[in-house]
Amino acid sequence: MGQAVSARDSRSAYTDRVREDFDRLADLPESGGWDHNAHYHPFLLKQLPPRLDEALEVGCGTGAFARLLAKRCGTVVAIDLSPRMVEVARARSWEHPNVEYVVAAAS
C-alpha cells in the first residue's frame, strides 16, 4: 500500500509542477514569433470535415486552436490543466461564444 500512495503522491507533485510551469507561460504574448504548436494547426484542420457539431481539445493552452475549431464547430469544449491558461484563453476568445473552457486534467 505504501508504494501505491508514494507513486500517487509523486504523480500529484509532478502534475502540480507542470501546472505551475504552464501558469507562468500563459502570460507570454500570443504573436511572439514561431510557435511550434501553431505550425501544425493547418494540417490538423485539413484532417477534419468542413463542419462539425462538436469538438474536444485537450491541452488547449491559451485557446488558439480552439478558436480555429470554433469557426467550423457548433460547440468546442477545450480543457487545460493550467487555470491561468484557461483564464487567458477565455479572455482571448470573447468573440467565440461557442467555446467552453474547462480547467481539467486529461486523465
Side-chain angles (χ1 to χ4, degrees), residues 16 18 20 25 27 33 38 56-57 63-64 67 78-79 81 85 97 99:
D16 289 345
V18 169
E20 290 165 4
L25 291 172
D27 293 317
L56 170 66
E57 184 186 8
R67 289 188 293 279
I79 69 169
L81 180 64
M85 285 282 188
V99 181

Side-chain angles (χ1 to χ4, degrees), residues 20-85:
E20 290 165 4
D21 286 346
F22 279 95
D23 280 347
R24 283 190 290 277
L25 291 172
D27 293 317
L28 294 175
E30 190 166 37
S31 59
W34 189 76
D35 177 346
H36 71 284
N37 288 323
H39 175 77
Y40 294 100
H41 291 173
F43 171 79
L44 293 170
L45 290 171
K46 286 181 186 177
Q47 310 311 306
L48 300 173
R51 197 71 196 133
L52 296 163
D53 289 333
E54 55 191 7
L56 170 66
E57 184 186 8
V58 177
C60 67
T62 58
F65 191 64
R67 289 188 293 279
L68 294 174
L69 286 172
K71 293 177 183 178
R72 61 167 69 185
C73 292
T75 302
V76 177
V77 175
I79 69 169
D80 201 280
L81 180 64
S82 163
R84 182 66 186 139
M85 285 282 188

